[in-house]
């Protein structure tokens, strides 16, 4: 499953064994201002892959290229906006007077559904289960207000109040298990979608500003007095983390953990701080200066942060591509005598036009593009090293249909690593023949779900031309 939260996105990281390793010495990283076009304070930022939205108090900017450039969205409102979440199929912004705004085109245009909530909404989060249609968006705010949507923000249902204090953040562990935090040490949890709530005591009266869940068990909360606590049992109990750099006169304004031990916080005293030891010690990140940041999000190996001066990004910068380019080639390194079958030297990569090497997850994917290994070039480790790992190669469009191991939905593959669900067995037979179920469906491990995007369902055989799809994609670069 994938979980996420604007500026405190809950991630399940699918760890995929890779045959190639890249030395960290090949990179340099620092915080860089992405220079969004609005000259205003940015209060929240949220990304889904390379697409993101940042909001000021009354406007928004959006990007579809990892903040390499920004565009001004059409959102303009007289009420203050407080938080944004970028869900797979919609962007949702919440603010004062219960206002909710929804974009289905990545932040360019917006609509405002009726929320039937009059109190200020301070935070919004989303949950979606990989390989299912289960989706949930939750917004929280003043006096314990909780409202939810199961249709990408189109309609909203007010739930039972989680106490009477103002709520400042929310995390979803599933579509029905939700934890909210707020003033006076408020922590409430529901397992029935918000119909009932139970108090979870963290032994503090500090106002809680932020919550972030690494998974359904490991959850972090933070707030005033630079209070920081961790739960390892899904929020039932909490253990305070008293880190050496703590200043009880300040507060933690946002928090994000990529794993149980590696995380980031923003502090009212300034800067963006990083830990690699589960919060025991924190180090201010290079280039984050003493500016005060309000929100964090992590996506596509980049850390994004918003403050009064703009939106900043921290990402590894690659060394220039080697002078002897292998663009468009299949490459591998030489193997020493006596090597094992899983030795990294056996891995074959495609070098893309992006000057990155792209791994084949398995032989089935490889042979959807090539009939043999005759064109593979053996290069030295030194020549391989500058080519950093890019996204995995996916199935060549049109060659076969595919399905994920945990579900029965069968997909046709379209250019751009797009999977389109085949609507019926008769359509599958029309496309790939009567024996399609035995010869023309490959299983994909659920671990590679993130390698693909999903397009419109095929409801008629005329919706998908196998031959045109096969001939239309000539190189792997077309599919990346």
């Amino acid at each position: 499953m994938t979980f996420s939260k604007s500026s405190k996105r809950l991630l399940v990281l699918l760890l995929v064994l890779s045959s190639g390793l890249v030395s960290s010495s090949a990179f340099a990283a620092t915080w860089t201002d992405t220079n969004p076009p609005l000259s205003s304070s940015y209060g929240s930022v949220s990304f889904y892959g390379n697409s993101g939205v940042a909001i000021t108090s009354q406007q928004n900017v959006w990007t579809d290229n990892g903040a390499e450039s920004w565009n001004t969205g059409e959102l303009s409102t007289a009420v203050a906006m407080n938080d944004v979440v970028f869900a797979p199929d919609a962007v949702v912004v919440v603010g004062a007077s219960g206002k909710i705004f929804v974009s289905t085109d990545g932040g360019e245009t917006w609509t405002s559904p009726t929320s039937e909530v009059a109190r200020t909404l301070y935070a919004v989060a989303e949950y979606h289960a990989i390989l299912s249609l289960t989706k949930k968006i939750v917004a929280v705010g003043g006096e314990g207000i909780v409202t939810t949507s199961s249709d990408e923000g189109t309609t909203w249902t007010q739930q039972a109040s989680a106490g009477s204090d103002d709520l400042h953040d929310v995390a979803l562990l599933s579509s029905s298990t939700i934890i909210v935090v707020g003033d006076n040490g408020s922590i409430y949890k529901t397992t029935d979608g918000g119909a009932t709530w139970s108090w979870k005591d963290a032994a503090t009266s500090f106002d809680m500003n932020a919550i972030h869940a690494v998974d359904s068990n490991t959850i972090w909360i933070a707030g005033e007095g630079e209070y920081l606590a961790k739960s390892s049992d899904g929020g039932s109990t909490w253990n305070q983390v008293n880190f050496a750099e703590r200043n009880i006169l300040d507060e933690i304004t946002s928090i994000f953990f990529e794993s149980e031990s590696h995380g980031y916080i923003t502090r009212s005293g300034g800067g963006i701080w990083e830990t690699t030891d589960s919060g025991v010690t924190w180090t201010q990140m290079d280039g984050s200066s003493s500016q005060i940041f309000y929100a964090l999000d992590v996506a596509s190996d980049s850390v994004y942060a918003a403050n009064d001066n703009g939106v900043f990004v921290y990402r590894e910068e690659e060394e220039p591509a080697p002078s002897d380019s292998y663009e468009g080639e299949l490459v591998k390194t030489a193997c020493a005598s006596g090597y094992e079958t899983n030795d990294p030297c056996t891995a074959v990569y495609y070098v893309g036009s992006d000057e990155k090497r792209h791994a084949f997850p398995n032989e089935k994917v490889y042979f959807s593009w090539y009939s043999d290994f005759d064109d593979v070039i053996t290069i030295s480790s030194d020549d391989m090293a500058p080519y950093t790992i890019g996204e995995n190669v996916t199935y060549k469009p049109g060659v076969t249909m595919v399905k994920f191991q945990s579900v029965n939905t069968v997909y046709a593959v379209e250019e751009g690593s797009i999977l389109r669900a085949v609507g019926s067995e008769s359509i599958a037979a029309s496309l790939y023949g009567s024996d399609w179920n035995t010869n023309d469906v490959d299983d994909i491990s659920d671990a590679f779900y993130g390698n693909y995007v999903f397009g419109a369902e095929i409801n008629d055989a005329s919706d998908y031309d196998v031959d045109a799809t096969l001939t239309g994609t000539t190189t792997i670069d077309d599919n990346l």
Side-chain angles (χ1 to χ4, degrees):
M1 292 179 288
T2 295
F3 309 74
S4 60
K5 167 69 182 86
S6 166
S7 74
K8 280 94 28 185
R9 188 183 303 269
L10 171 55
L11 301 173
V12 168
L13 301 177
L14 297 176
L15 300 180
V16 181
L17 179 62
S18 172
S19 298
L21 300 176
V22 180
S23 170
S24 60
S25 62
F27 302 96
T30 187
W31 283 98
T32 304
D33 188 352
T34 62
N35 296 308
L38 299 176
S39 298
S40 186
S41 174
Y42 289 83
S44 185
V45 60
S46 182
F47 271 76
Y48 188 80
N50 286 320
S51 297
V53 168
I55 58 172
T56 67
S57 62
Q58 296 176 324
Q59 292 179 277
N60 83 285
V61 295
W62 61 274
T63 179
D64 58 7
N65 57 14
E68 294 293 335
S69 62
W70 291 93
N71 307 280
T72 302
E74 296 180 8
L75 180 57
S76 180
T77 175
V79 301
M81 298 185 293
N82 294 319
D83 199 14
V84 57
V85 65
F86 207 121
D89 299 312
V91 186
V92 178
V93 169
V94 299
S97 304
K99 292 296 290 184
I100 298 174
F101 301 92
V102 178
S103 173
T104 57
D105 57 9
E108 183 175 2
T109 62
W110 298 82
T111 59
S112 182
T114 302
S115 70
E116 299 182 354
V117 173
R119 280 165 281 184
T120 294
L121 296 172
Y122 292 112
V124 60
E126 70 92 18
Y127 164 92
H128 66 279
I130 289 178
L131 307 180
S132 87
L133 297 179
T134 303
K135 300 176 182 179
K136 180 67 71 70
I137 300 176
V138 178
V140 300
E143 300 177 27
I145 195 73
V146 179
T147 185
T148 64
S149 173
S150 297
D151 55 10
E152 299 293 351
T154 303
T155 59
W156 293 80
T157 302
Q158 186 171 339
Q159 303 296 329
S161 294
S164 58
D165 289 303
D166 288 353
L167 302 176
H168 296 295
D169 206 1
V170 52
L172 284 78
L173 311 186
S174 71
S175 60
S176 58
T177 302
I178 307 164
I179 301 179
V180 298
V181 296
D183 289 348
N184 300 309
S186 294
I187 306 171
Y188 288 91
K189 181 177 180 178
T190 180
T191 57
D192 54 19
T196 59
W197 296 88
S198 58
W199 168 271
K200 301 300 177 182
D201 190 5
T204 182
S205 60
F206 283 119
D207 293 347
M208 292 294 102
N209 295 327
I211 182 171
H212 182 266
V214 181
D215 52 44
S216 59
N217 291 313
T218 309
I219 306 165
W220 293 83
I221 56 174
E224 283 188 341
E226 295 203 324
Y227 180 88
L228 179 67
K230 173 185 174 184
S231 173
S232 299
D233 55 12
S236 295
T237 60
W238 298 88
N239 296 302
Q240 184 177 354
V241 178
N242 283 306
F243 55 100
E245 298 80 12
R246 181 186 183 192
N247 183 346
I248 198 170
L249 300 178
D250 289 333
E251 56 187 288
I252 297 173
T253 53
S254 63
I255 186 170
F256 189 105
F257 268 78
E258 292 187 285
S259 66
E260 186 171 348
S261 60
H262 185 201
Y264 311 90
I265 57 173
T266 58
R267 305 168 70 188
S268 62
I272 301 167
W273 297 69
E274 181 180 24
T275 182
T276 57
D277 57 11
S278 298
V280 177
T281 59
W282 294 83
T283 303
Q284 186 171 359
M285 300 182 72
D286 291 342
S288 67
S289 71
S290 59
Q291 296 184 61
I292 298 173
F293 293 84
Y294 305 118
L296 281 172
D297 200 9
V298 177
S300 298
D301 299 321
S302 299
V303 185
Y304 300 93
N307 74 359
D308 287 333
N309 299 309
V311 178
F312 292 73
V313 63
Y314 184 92
R315 62 165 61 99
E316 293 176 333
E317 299 176 356
E318 301 165 21
E319 287 186 343
S323 56
D324 293 329
S325 176
Y326 292 95
E327 179 181 335
E329 302 285 2
L330 296 170
V331 298
K332 67 179 293 293
T333 55
C335 293
S337 59
Y339 68 91
E340 301 290 336
T341 56
N342 62 347
D343 191 288
C345 73
T346 63
V348 176
Y349 301 94
Y350 174 81
V351 179
S353 59
D354 56 1
E355 292 291 350
K356 294 183 179 181
R357 49 183 161 127
H358 301 270
F360 295 87
N362 53 50
E363 287 190 349
K364 288 185 177 181
V365 174
Y366 179 89
F367 286 118
S368 73
W369 291 95
Y370 303 96
S371 59
D372 53 45
F373 295 101
D374 291 350
D375 294 327
V376 177
I377 301 171
T378 299
I379 64 177
S380 69
S381 297
D382 288 342
D383 284 343
M384 181 75 81
Y387 292 106
T388 58
I389 297 291
E391 58 195 277
N392 283 339
V393 178
T394 55
Y395 274 90
K396 183 176 182 179
V399 170
T400 186
M401 294 183 291
V402 299
K403 64 178 289 293
F404 290 97
Q405 292 173 344
S406 62
V407 293
N408 292 323
T409 303
V410 175
Y411 300 92
V413 185
E414 199 166 84
E415 185 174 301
S417 301
I418 298 171
L419 299 185
R420 298 181 61 190
V422 179
S424 68
E425 293 187 9
S426 62
I427 295 174
S430 296
L431 296 176
Y432 285 91
S434 58
D435 59 350
W436 65 271
N437 200 27
T438 56
N439 297 324
D440 290 294
V441 181
D442 280 359
D443 276 353
I444 302 176
S445 168
D446 291 353
F448 300 112
Y449 175 88
N451 293 172
Y452 297 87
V453 294
F454 295 85
E457 182 174 327
I458 300 172
N459 294 311
D460 189 275
S462 62
D463 292 342
Y464 184 85
D465 189 322
V466 175
D467 291 335
T469 302
L470 274 168
T471 58
T473 305
T474 59
T475 71
I476 292 174
D477 281 304
D478 295 334
N479 214 41
L480 295 174

